[in-house]
Amino acid sequence: MSYQMKNPYQNTAAARLIADRVEALAHRKTQGEISVEAGFANANMMTFLKNGRNKVPLDRVPSLAQALEVDPAYLMRLTLEQAVGTTSATAITEIFGTPATKNEQAWLAELRDASENSDPRLTARSRSALRGIFNK
């Protein structure tokens, strides 16, 4: 059995985020502590999620996001892709909308305020200005 078969989700964005967050939080809490905070009975679950052996259970996203100190909407987007695949996740978000993080909601609120709720179109000029903020 190949390593990829043992860890079929290792290259997913969710697994990478979890690995990055566990590493970033290592100075304050252990993987075991994060696992307990997320409500997992098995302290090794964080290792399984980090290395892609297991999918993130959708019902654990809120508690896992809190334990990892990430926005739950962001983790849900990544977890949804991992759970059902990119094509199905795209279909779900086309129907129900994309979960917006608190940061994204703040951008939207500022856009509405700055435009005086005029529902401005995204023009080539405004797209270019926005992308310039991110050096794109």
Side-chain angles (χ1 to χ4, degrees):
M1 183 180 278
S2 74
Y3 183 73
Q4 180 65 30
M5 300 250 336
K6 288 182 187 176
N7 301 303
Y9 311 106
Q10 71 181 3
N11 294 320
T12 63
R16 289 191 302 272
L17 173 68
I18 292 167
D20 290 347
R21 292 304 302 150
V22 168
E23 182 179 333
L25 296 169
H27 68 286
R28 289 195 288 126
K29 50 187 168 181
T30 67
Q31 277 188 191
E33 290 169 331
I34 294 169
S35 191
V36 169
E37 285 180 35
F40 294 114
N42 182 349
N44 291 331
M45 190 60 167
M46 292 315 300
T47 298
F48 299 156
L49 296 175
K50 280 182 3 180
N51 69 21
R53 178 175 169 183
N54 291 67
K55 291 181 193 180
V56 177
L58 292 173
D59 64 331
R60 296 292 178 175
V61 168
S63 59
L64 181 58
Q66 184 172 359
L68 292 172
E69 301 175 17
V70 298
D71 190 285
Y74 180 61
L75 182 58
M76 179 58 84
R77 270 200 323 249
L78 301 183
T79 299
L80 188 59
E81 286 180 17
Q82 186 186 59
V84 299
T86 304
T87 304
S88 294
T90 299
I92 290 168
T93 57
E94 283 178 8
I95 294 167
F96 295 109
T98 301
T101 67
K102 290 189 187 304
N103 289 335
E104 291 166 335
Q105 290 171 17
W107 276 83
L108 179 57
E110 186 60 31
L111 174 66
R112 287 178 177 164
D113 184 57
S115 71
E116 297 179 337
N117 287 311
S118 65
D119 191 29
R121 291 184 185 270
L122 183 61
T123 63
R125 182 176 176 208
S126 58
R127 181 186 312 269
S128 178
L130 181 60
R131 294 184 76 68
I133 292 170
F134 298 101
N135 298 318
K136 301 281 180 180

